[in-house]
Amino acid sequence: MSFSKFEDRVAAHLDAMSPAEQRVARVLLDAREEVLVASAASLAAKAETSDATVVRTVKSLGFEGMDELRRLLAAELKQSLTIANRLTETLREVGDDLHAAFNVTLDVHRDAIENLRRDITPEMFRTAVKLMASAKRIVIFGIGPSSAIATYFATQLGRFGIDAHCITRTGLLFADDLRQLRAGDVLVAMAYTHVYRELAVLLDESDRHRIKKLLLTDSLAAKLRGRVDLILPVARGRAGMLSMHTATLGLIEAILVGIAAKNPKATVRSLESLNALRKVVAGESFDVPTGTRKRARPTSRPGAAK
């Protein structure tokens, strides 16, 4: 039997499932974007059952395994969820109630952080930190809204004394950025929804230079698992609603702390050097906290900027 939508497939099989399998099916249906990156074990925890039940449910729905399910869900989401669709769905939930808008948004952010804690295992986090801490240079790729996050990440890495470079342009200028890739780099790519042209070419060029690759994604794990060295699953809010980036920022800042913990003396020296330069530029102390002393309180001066 063929089904035009995943929800139709679930509806057709739901009555024949056990209570535990029904819980899994509802999780698969209600958290489709999360399913694209979450492990069977994390989905099992969400459904309060075992990962074996998750696998059994997926097969009961007619899939060979999780990867086939993820490919179908990714294709459906790509076709149906434009930015306008997402905003429409978000507004449908909050209506014109500003208090609801505030609470729903904070709930989404809270859930994103909780999902991040569950989906990023300690071993995955250690691997990510070790790869970046040992890199000659970290190259961060992000276009669209992710370009601002990439720039922020590179700025913070630079403050820690780590050579970091952003690739955030598209079109012909993207070719100029590709020419700067070199052996010894570690690539951190933020990419969602589908493998667009820039991402595909970037991965090919990284392969040519034998560059280690980390991918932050909510939907491309199944498609790119064989192309990158580590996938860090990062959900961007609730399925069908406006994409939000709390989890991405949370993960990036956790990685920053992890890198500092791996090289504390070098990180502190770099921040102290930055403090000294800021003092020269500003004519007074504008300390970046290093953890070695209390932050200096600068004398207020009109027009002074931190």
Side-chain angles (χ1 to χ4, degrees):
M1 183 182 299
S2 62
F3 302 94
S4 59
K5 294 183 179 180
F6 179 64
E7 58 194 41
D8 296 332
R9 183 188 293 259
V10 172
H13 290 86
L14 199 61
D15 289 342
M17 293 179 175
S18 69
E21 290 172 339
Q22 288 179 355
R23 291 198 303 274
V24 172
R26 291 190 178 96
V27 167
L28 298 178
L29 185 60
D30 295 339
R32 280 172 282 185
E33 287 193 342
E34 187 176 334
V35 173
L36 296 177
V37 295
S39 65
S42 62
L43 293 172
K46 197 176 184 71
E48 299 180 346
T49 187
S50 66
D51 51 351
T53 302
V54 171
V55 173
R56 188 166 59 249
T57 304
V58 169
K59 290 185 176 180
S60 295
L61 291 170
F63 300 101
E64 291 185 2
M66 291 294 296
D67 280 352
E68 185 182 4
L69 168 63
R70 291 185 180 115
R71 285 193 293 271
L72 180 139
L73 291 179
E76 282 196 1
L77 289 169
K78 179 181 176 182
Q79 292 173 0
S80 63
L81 296 181
T82 65
I83 295 174
N85 294 149
R86 290 176 179 273
L87 180 58
T88 299
E89 184 61 30
T90 303
L91 295 178
R92 183 178 293 117
E93 179 160 343
V94 304
D96 59 359
D97 184 343
L98 295 183
H99 185 61
F102 180 78
N103 284 331
V104 167
T105 302
L106 292 189
D107 286 346
V108 171
H109 290 318
R110 179 201 62 209
D111 293 345
I113 293 298
E114 290 177 354
N115 291 340
L116 191 66
R117 190 188 301 274
R118 185 191 66 227
D119 295 337
I120 303 293
T121 67
E123 183 57 34
M124 291 165 66
F125 184 72
R126 281 193 294 270
T127 301
V129 170
K130 287 179 181 178
L131 277 173
M132 285 187 249
S134 63
K136 291 183 180 179
R137 184 179 66 162
I138 298 175
V139 177
I140 308 153
F141 170 76
I143 59 178
S146 296
S147 64
I149 300 176
T151 300
Y152 169 74
F153 193 17
T155 299
Q156 296 295 74
L157 288 169
R159 287 184 168 187
F160 284 10
I162 296 171
D163 190 7
H165 174 67
C166 283
I167 296 180
T168 58
R169 299 186 293 186
T170 59
L172 294 179
L173 291 174
F174 180 68
D176 292 273
D177 292 332
L178 288 175
R179 294 184 68 243
Q180 297 185 44
L181 292 174
R182 55 180 182 256
D185 286 345
V186 167
L187 172 68
V188 179
M190 292 176 282
Y192 311 94
T193 309
H194 64 284
V195 182
Y196 35 84
R197 182 63 178 168
E198 286 86 354
L199 177 60
V201 175
L202 175 64
L203 294 178
D204 289 341
E205 194 66 9
S206 297
D207 286 342
R208 193 171 72 83
H209 290 283
R210 298 183 179 178
I211 290 171
K212 295 287 187 180
K213 301 178 285 296
L214 289 80
L215 176 67
L216 278 63
T217 188
D218 65 346
S219 55
L220 299 178
K223 185 169 290 188
L224 294 178
R225 185 168 285 114
R227 296 295 315 276
V228 299
D229 298 276
L230 180 65
I231 292 175
L232 298 172
V234 184
R236 293 186 300 160
R238 294 178 183 169
M241 295 181 64
L242 191 67
S243 295
M244 299 182 187
H245 300 275
T246 302
T248 302
L249 285 170
L251 177 57
I252 282 172
E253 294 189 327
I255 289 171
L256 286 167
V257 174
I259 289 173
K262 288 283 291 181
N263 300 296
K265 292 183 179 179
T267 304
V268 169
R269 283 198 303 270
S270 181
L271 291 177
E272 288 177 338
S273 173
L274 175 62
N275 288 338
L277 290 172
R278 286 166 69 124
K279 184 175 181 179
V280 171
V281 172
E284 56 186 290
S285 179
F286 285 100
D287 284 356
V288 176
T290 64
T292 60
R293 59 183 182 274
K294 291 184 178 179
R295 180 175 179 175
R297 180 177 295 175
T299 304
S300 61
R301 177 167 57 85
K306 292 187 181 182

